Amino acid sequence: MKPTVGILVRISDDREDERKGVKRQEQDCRELADRLGWLVGEVYTENDTSAFKRRKITLPNGKKAMRVIRPEFRRMLEDLEAGRIQGLIAYDLDRAMRDPRDLEDLNDVVEMTRPRPVIRSVTGSLQLDTDADLTNARVLVAMANKSSRDTARRVARAARERAERGKWHGGTPAFGFVAVKELLNGRERVVTLRPHPDHAAWVREAMERLLAGESLYGICTDWNRQGRRTGWKRRDHRSEEVTTWYPRTLKRIVTAPAVAAYREYDGQLYPAVWEPIVDRDDWQRVCTLLAAPERKLRGFNNGNARKYALSGLVFCAECRHVMVSMTATRVIRGERVRRVSFVCNQLATGGCGSMRIETEHLERYIFAQVFIRADSPALRAAMSAQADDIDEAEQALHKSIVDGERRLERVEDEYDAEEITKVEYRRRRAKIMQQLEAHRALLAKATRSRVHTRLPSGAELRAVWPDKDNTWKRTIVASVIERIEVSRHPAGVASNLTARRDEGPEVFSQRRDLHRAQVLRQRVEVQWWV
């Protein structure tokens, strides 16, 4: 009876996905099957798949291990063990495997399965009929594994050298750049990058807005409203570009080392040969802001976005508890009207529950004061002095973090060299990590404080205020206001006005606004930072 065998074909590198190599291997394997009189069942194709590179995975028992990830190879072993195929044909042993563990797994299946599966290769290098065949296969796999390690070492050294020289590593240019190509050895290669005529300005704009306190979500919402295109094609390779911006996409763009003319390799940054799009110090500050532990981005919906611009700043003057926003719907003249208020809530904050103020009126009152305050000479002088202090603090914290990371590397090297015990390693590492986390938190705080030193003028705020999101508004307000305390409505003062006889709508509106402003001046006390 003719056995039904599987064919395993593999090519390590096929970036263009042309599949020419695996097709040639399959043709040669089918010709061998015909000569042997075997039937061909399944073809297991591993195109653009390494049989050498290992990744860290979690085993079923929870332990971490390094393994070569080859789903098709594993599927072939399962079919061989289940009897769905009775043998295997590969083009060559090094096409079938380059990791000794894979060979042993194949041999285990062969030895445990009855009738014994037949294993062959076109070149004759793979055969597991006898102990001598297995020994020969083990030697050849060990040699192939060493060859792969030698190649990987040479490639890694060349890549490191390119990084140290600041050369582009190839591939798709970072957003904001276009590739500069030259013909080298008959092939067109990317030799460097140059700023994109439009996208580079977008990256700079995003940087400036983030450092001014805006959120990724707010910038993406603005750009989507403008109809800006991301510059990437759809996954189905249709000609039109993707138009939707997402916070995670923008975050990846602005934190890419390339935009600051850095070349990253193995966690190390090297100065690159191309022109930077943004200032390197500003890039580092944005990276610090977006890497802050308390910052949790939840995709496009941005679950952490402030719902109201004064959230967290409004306090009850009676019990000193923070006031929270609550929505109530009332029927006025037959229409349902939705009103939002800041409330001292017993259940939510443990407050007295006796204070309430309408959010819309309070915001209008506070925003007008912020615009005036932004032009204060005293505030401008304080911001300038604060910027100098922040610069010194950032430099000192950066140095402390670098020193801590170097100490951590030395401790790990000592442990790897068995110069210290595991107990000592854990103790010293925990101490260094605690210091690092504290310094990183302080650096993030100092970087966030820089937003306060970039406060726009009152005229600039008035011009852009209607178009900004509440996260940005909250950042601006919090940069000049420490807290807002709300007192009870003044006794003997009307809470609602009605139009007088023969009083026109415009006159009534002006009188009502003046009345509200007078009431708010009595009820609201603002504590300014400066």
Side-chain angles (χ1 to χ4, degrees):
M1 182 178 177
K2 297 180 179 179
T4 299
V5 299
I7 291 178
L8 177 66
V9 293
R10 185 186 65 83
I11 285 291
S12 298
D13 189 6
D14 185 13
R15 297 181 183 179
E16 303 301 325
D17 197 30
E18 295 179 347
R19 309 179 76 86
K20 293 180 180 179
V22 291
K23 289 179 180 178
R24 288 193 296 266
Q25 291 181 29
E26 181 180 345
Q27 180 181 353
D28 291 345
C29 289
R30 286 186 179 276
E31 290 176 358
L32 175 60
D34 289 341
R35 292 196 300 271
L36 295 174
W38 295 349
L39 301 177
V40 175
E42 191 77 14
V43 177
Y44 307 90
T45 303
E46 296 181 320
N47 194 53
D48 198 24
T49 302
S50 172
F52 165 74
K53 293 180 181 178
R54 301 190 300 167
R55 302 176 189 171
K56 183 182 290 187
I57 65 169
T58 303
L59 299 176
N61 60 8
K63 292 185 178 181
K64 302 290 185 181
M66 297 296 292
R67 294 289 187 271
V68 178
I69 308 300
R70 299 178 63 188
E72 283 295 282
F73 181 81
R74 294 293 149 184
R75 187 167 72 90
M76 179 273 297
L77 290 181
E78 292 174 1
D79 289 349
L80 200 62
E81 186 174 13
R84 288 186 284 270
I85 56 175
Q86 290 82 51
L88 173 69
I89 294 179
Y91 180 78
D92 188 78
L93 181 139
D94 69 355
R95 294 299 91 198
M97 62 208 74
R98 281 178 172 258
D99 182 69
R101 183 177 281 106
D102 287 345
L103 173 62
E104 298 305 325
D105 289 345
L106 174 61
N107 184 62
D108 288 345
V109 173
V110 169
E111 291 188 345
M112 291 188 300
T113 305
R114 292 293 181 271
R116 187 184 181 97
V118 289
I119 309 296
R120 294 290 185 273
S121 65
V122 173
T123 61
S125 58
L126 177 58
Q127 187 169 317
L128 299 178
D129 293 343
T130 65
D131 291 343
D133 293 336
L134 176 59
T135 300
N136 182 64
R138 283 171 172 163
V139 172
L140 293 177
V141 167
M143 294 174 61
N145 187 269
K146 182 181 184 306
S147 175
S148 294
R149 289 183 178 275
D150 293 342
T151 300
R153 186 171 59 253
R154 290 193 298 270
V155 170
R157 185 64 188 91
R160 179 181 174 185
E161 182 182 3
R162 285 183 60 82
E164 291 172 345
R165 293 167 59 192
K167 297 289 186 180
W168 179 244
H169 55 70
T172 304
F175 185 87
F177 293 96
V178 292
V180 178
K181 299 180 180 180
E182 290 183 2
L183 197 64
L184 300 174
N185 300 324
R187 292 183 61 185
E188 196 176 50
R189 298 179 181 272
V190 176
V191 293
T192 189
L193 306 175
R194 61 178 174 82
H196 189 281
D198 298 320
H199 296 168
W202 295 3
V203 176
R204 284 191 288 269
E205 177 190 341
M207 286 281 187
E208 292 172 0
R209 293 173 69 169
L210 287 168
L211 289 173
E214 289 198 54
S215 64
L216 291 170
Y217 173 76
I219 297 173
C220 290
T221 301
D222 184 25
W223 286 4
N224 289 329
R225 185 169 54 244
Q226 295 177 25
R228 295 194 189 185
R229 299 180 181 271
T230 63
W232 292 296
K233 304 293 183 183
R234 296 187 181 276
R235 290 186 177 180
D236 53 10
H237 305 292
R238 286 187 290 177
S239 58
E240 67 265 26
E241 293 178 341
V242 179
T243 58
T244 303
W245 284 89
Y246 295 96
R248 61 179 178 272
T249 305
L250 185 57
K251 179 181 179 181
R252 187 169 65 248
I253 288 172
V254 297
T255 57
V259 301
Y262 280 125
R263 175 74 164 79
E264 184 178 18
Y265 181 78
D266 197 22
Q268 182 71 32
L269 296 178
Y270 301 94
V273 297
W274 56 84
E275 176 187 351
I277 293 178
V278 299
D279 179 77
R280 284 177 173 170
D281 290 338
D282 284 346
W283 174 78
Q284 186 63 60
R285 292 182 183 113
V286 167
C287 290
T288 301
L289 281 174
L290 299 183
E294 67 273 13
R295 187 183 185 92
K296 296 181 180 179
L297 296 179
R298 300 175 183 174
F300 187 71
N301 291 328
N302 195 14
N304 278 355
R306 290 282 183 182
K307 195 170 184 179
Y308 301 102
L310 301 183
S311 295
L313 294 175
V314 183
F315 292 81
C316 173
E318 297 285 333
C319 65
R320 315 286 290 180
H321 281 81
V322 67
M323 298 173 68
V324 296
S325 59
M326 293 188 67
T327 303
T329 303
R330 297 179 181 177
V331 178
I332 301 177
R333 296 175 184 175
E335 295 184 3
R336 296 176 65 86
V337 178
R338 178 177 175 270
R339 290 184 176 177
V340 181
S341 302
F342 278 109
V343 178
C344 184
N345 189 285
Q346 289 180 316
L347 183 62
T349 64
C352 62
S354 61
M355 202 69 66
R356 176 186 296 267
I357 189 167
E358 284 200 30
T359 302
E360 179 184 357
H361 301 158
L362 179 62
E363 285 184 343
R364 189 182 300 117
Y365 175 74
I366 294 296
F367 295 163
Q369 293 195 58
V370 169
F371 300 155
I372 297 172
R373 193 78 174 187
D375 291 327
S376 165
L379 177 62
R380 291 291 163 185
M383 288 191 300
S384 178
Q386 186 184 19
D388 294 337
D389 294 340
I390 291 174
D391 285 338
E392 295 180 5
E394 284 182 334
Q395 293 174 7
L397 288 169
H398 273 299
K399 184 178 183 303
S400 298
I401 291 171
V402 170
D403 292 343
E405 290 173 343
R406 288 174 178 171
R407 292 201 309 273
L408 187 62
E409 290 177 1
R410 287 197 295 270
V411 169
E412 291 176 347
D413 290 341
E414 291 175 7
Y415 177 67
D416 291 339
E418 298 183 352
E419 295 176 4
I420 58 176
T421 64
K422 180 180 288 189
V423 173
E424 177 68 10
Y425 164 72
R426 288 180 173 175
R427 184 188 67 80
R428 291 169 60 180
R429 186 180 186 279
K431 183 178 180 180
I432 295 173
M433 287 300 298
Q434 184 179 8
Q435 294 173 346
L436 277 174
E437 290 172 3
H439 289 156
R440 286 167 180 159
L442 289 173
L443 179 60
K445 183 178 180 181
T447 305
R448 287 194 300 272
S449 299
R450 181 170 292 278
V451 174
H452 304 175
T453 70
R454 300 192 180 201
L455 182 68
S457 67
E460 292 171 332
L461 287 175
R462 288 186 183 93
V464 301
W465 201 263
D467 299 325
K468 298 300 185 180
D469 67 339
N470 282 332
T471 300
W472 183 83
K473 292 178 181 178
R474 169 63 164 70
T475 303
I476 295 297
V477 172
S479 68
V480 293
I481 292 179
E482 181 179 2
R483 63 190 283 137
I484 302 166
E485 291 194 356
V486 178
S487 302
R488 295 180 182 274
H489 192 90
V493 177
S495 57
N496 291 306
L497 296 184
T498 57
R500 295 169 179 168
R501 182 180 297 179
D502 300 328
E503 185 178 39
E506 185 176 347
V507 175
F508 169 67
S509 178
Q510 292 175 354
R511 185 168 64 89
R512 184 184 58 191
D513 291 345
L514 179 61
H515 175 79
R516 284 174 177 169
Q518 292 173 345
V519 171
L520 287 169
R521 276 197 294 271
Q522 297 180 61
R523 293 193 64 190
V524 177
E525 180 182 351
V526 179
Q527 297 181 15
W528 304 91
W529 285 110
V530 178

